[in-house]
Amino acid sequence: MAVIGGASSDEGFDDCSPPRAMPLAPPKPKPHARRAYVPPAECRAMESLARTLEKAATPQACAHLAVALLAHVPADMLQLVLQELDRLMRRDFIAKLPLELALKVLELLPAVDIAQNVAVVSRQWHAVAMQPYLWRRLFHRRGWRLDSERWALYCAFPRIADASRSLLHRSVAQIAEAFTAASPGALAPAVASRSSLYALEQRLDFDAARGLMDTSAPITTMDSLAAATAEAMAFMISPRDRINAALSRSPAFRIAGAGGRSPGSSRQLRPAALAHSPPLPPRRSPRLPHSVPAGRRPCARPVDWRSIYAEHHRLQANWRAGQCRVDRWEAAHPESIYCLQFDRENRLFTGSRDHTVRIWHLSETGSQITQLATLVGHAGSVLTLQADGATLATGSSDATVCVWDLKTCTIQRRLQHADAVLSLRFSDRWLVTACKDRVLHVWRRDQDYAHAFELAGHAVAINAISLHGDMLVSASGDRTVRLWDLATRTCVRTLDEHTRGVATLDFDGAYIVSGSSDRSIRIWNARTGACERTIANAHADLVRTVMFDRTMDVLVSGSYDETIKVWSFSTGALIHKFKNVHTSRVFKLMFDRT
């Protein structure tokens, strides 16, 4: 906004300039040249002559003839000739070229120009500019990657998702009260530990809910709300393969036993599954309505590449502008939270000083969480965790690692160590744990977590590790970062430019980002071992947690100084600083591309 005060002249100021000449009157616009009347007979004769010349004369001769004819055209008629020439010079390459070539040409344009300019020229240009192939190419040209499993989860099974979301609107106390009233003696889901979900599956025919069997068989004595609660919770906490299996089944979800009685039950089940959910269609057949051949993924909606591109573009713009919404969930644990992770099924896992791991369900917008279970199995603080599908691994200051089965919320294996476990990571083949005893322990997941070997080399405690395939990176208080090859069991490279202990790191297979108590962040090339960028004095205190995404050009760090900062990965420039979000030290952070 600008406010300007004044008048047409200033009598208190004289710049001694000569008087201005009176402006000339604007020229009158010239009338458009009108096409002169030509008798029809002469028009036909000239068109016949043009066709004859086109067949007999060369293009050079036709051009020479046209110039000679223009010399005899009156000046007031040349404007009409120029307009006709301008029309003839225009070429609609989108309409003339094959679709494949037209898309190749449009790939060279910025996406903003395609959306704002090309798409509004004509309907034909709009149809070509909206081609999914074009936006898929533009998407991958930016180096972005599509999370296909999350897209499949988003596209399929809308009725069950709606039912689960409507259930989450109820308070946790109401759900627990209904479940406890329907099933005396069972633990409420909000405070369940090891056997709760196993009991839920025993009380609800989960195969019937997924559409694998005929739903005419009665289930247990739970009323409709409790049964729906059990199904929603089992659905939300089930591992990825079970969710994907559910997604390929019928969208119908109804509780069996309407109008019937369960064995040994004196109470009749009500037919409504959810009091406030939309009506669900009845199951047509005991067999799968959409049969999928073995080994093939269930069909989902085609990917809307333009929308996916726009979402990533908007997300990157939000990162650049520091635009976000901060939600606080008070008293998630009674003690400090040391570690956390969320996954594509919107499950959030948190480990705390209170010796427990809690599992939460995040709403689609992330603004609400609902507690699903509390896992009790450690005698000390839970310092590190990782979850993937049906497996959760947790490490504690009690010198143990617990491997949990999330289907039953029970401990599968307990791995003993000599000292506190500070960090762990696992893949399909390996489980690697880092301890205060300065040793990396490697376990074989494909051999029932048999202890495979140890890696020694650090002088003091190992604070953080990251695993990518067979390549392992470890950070220690001895001021070094080491790169290991698990296949050869050797240390490939040692990075030692930090001046104090290294507290955290992140690794994507090509680059390593490390944070230290020297308050700096360093970006390393894992292939060459060179430190390509150093962000000195990144924080006012120890850098406790880092995470980066090269495709989004984002690096995020958290510190003991109670701040979170967003940096450009490519330049190391500070993009945004979140302050007054935490009132104590930041121990762990995580972000994704949504």
Side-chain angles (χ1 to χ4, degrees), residues 85-368:
L85 288 176
D86 182 64
R87 183 183 63 84
L88 293 175
M89 290 296 293
R90 295 178 181 178
R91 292 291 185 270
D92 187 353
F93 73 94
I94 292 292
K96 300 296 183 181
L97 289 177
L99 178 61
E100 294 80 4
L101 295 180
L103 292 175
K104 289 292 184 181
V105 173
L106 291 183
E107 284 182 30
L108 304 177
L109 298 177
V112 176
D113 290 341
I114 296 175
Q116 296 182 356
N117 299 325
V118 176
V120 299
V121 172
S122 65
R123 291 185 177 180
Q124 188 171 8
W125 283 46
H126 181 273
V128 176
M130 295 298 108
Q131 286 291 322
Y133 171 83
L134 173 62
W135 290 98
R136 180 168 64 89
R137 296 278 296 181
L138 294 173
F139 182 86
H140 291 301
R141 193 174 69 182
R142 295 288 298 270
W144 295 337
R145 297 188 303 272
L146 176 67
D147 191 338
S148 55
E149 293 187 9
R150 191 176 185 90
W151 176 259
L153 187 66
Y154 169 77
C155 291
F157 223 41
R159 296 300 183 96
I160 284 292
D162 289 341
S164 299
R165 282 194 294 270
S166 65
L167 181 65
L168 292 179
H169 289 202
R170 303 172 182 269
S171 66
V172 175
Q174 184 180 0
I175 295 175
E177 181 182 358
F179 183 85
T180 306
S183 179
L187 292 177
V191 294
S193 58
R194 285 182 270 211
S195 61
S196 59
L197 288 184
Y198 178 77
L200 288 178
E201 282 201 350
Q202 294 300 313
R203 297 178 182 279
L204 179 68
D205 189 350
F206 195 78
D207 286 337
R210 288 187 296 161
L212 293 174
M213 299 172 58
D214 189 357
T215 57
S216 60
I219 59 173
T220 59
T221 62
M222 301 165 64
D223 65 11
S224 58
L225 175 60
T229 302
E231 158 59 17
M233 292 193 60
F235 178 80
M236 288 184 291
I237 204 168
S238 58
R240 183 187 307 139
D241 55 346
R242 302 191 61 169
I243 291 181
N244 289 334
L247 298 181
S248 64
R249 304 318 195 249
S250 169
F253 168 59
R254 63 187 180 90
I255 300 299
R261 295 177 182 270
S262 302
S265 170
S266 60
R267 181 169 49 182
Q268 179 175 325
L269 294 176
R270 290 188 286 272
L274 286 174
H276 302 289
S277 63
L280 302 176
R283 181 171 163 79
R284 294 191 297 262
S285 167
R287 299 186 61 82
L288 295 179
H290 306 290
S291 59
V292 180
R296 295 186 58 183
R297 296 176 63 88
C299 296
R301 289 185 305 184
V303 177
D304 186 351
W305 287 103
R306 182 174 177 272
S307 298
I308 295 295
Y309 185 98
E311 178 184 345
H312 277 66
H313 180 78
R314 185 166 52 252
L315 178 62
Q316 195 167 45
N318 290 342
W319 275 116
R320 294 292 180 186
Q323 185 174 350
C324 68
R325 185 192 70 240
V326 178
D327 297 310
R328 298 180 63 90
W329 304 307
E330 302 291 344
H333 283 268
E335 301 280 355
S336 300
I337 298 175
Y338 288 133
C339 51
L340 60 83
Q341 180 193 335
F342 60 87
D343 60 14
R344 57 176 54 91
E345 282 92 36
N346 288 355
R347 297 179 300 179
L348 172 64
F349 304 84
T350 56
S352 170
R353 188 179 177 182
D354 63 8
H355 305 180
T356 68
V357 176
R358 296 190 178 185
I359 307 176
W360 313 80
H361 179 269
L362 287 168
S363 64
E364 291 298 325
T365 60
S367 59
Q368 297 179 351

Side-chain angles (χ1 to χ4, degrees), residues 390-441:
T391 302
L392 170 68
T394 57
S396 171
S397 60
D398 64 3
T400 65
V401 168
C402 292
V403 181
W404 303 79
D405 180 4
L406 290 179
K407 175 183 174 182
T408 59
C409 289
T410 56
I411 297 177
Q412 283 184 314
R413 293 295 304 273
R414 187 184 295 269
L415 309 177
Q416 192 66 43
H417 293 71
D419 209 333
V421 180
L422 303 182
S423 184
L424 64 82
R425 283 295 177 266
F426 66 80
S427 62
D428 292 338
R429 184 182 182 186
W430 308 106
L431 167 65
V432 184
T433 57
C435 303
K436 278 188 176 182
D437 62 2
R438 302 170 293 175
V439 177
L440 292 166
H441 299 268

Side-chain angles (χ1 to χ4, degrees), residues 457-480:
H458 283 290
V460 296
I462 302 171
N463 296 318
I465 59 174
S466 184
L467 180 63
H468 193 279
D470 285 340
M471 302 305 296
L472 174 71
V473 182
S474 59
S476 170
D478 62 6
R479 308 178 184 181
T480 66

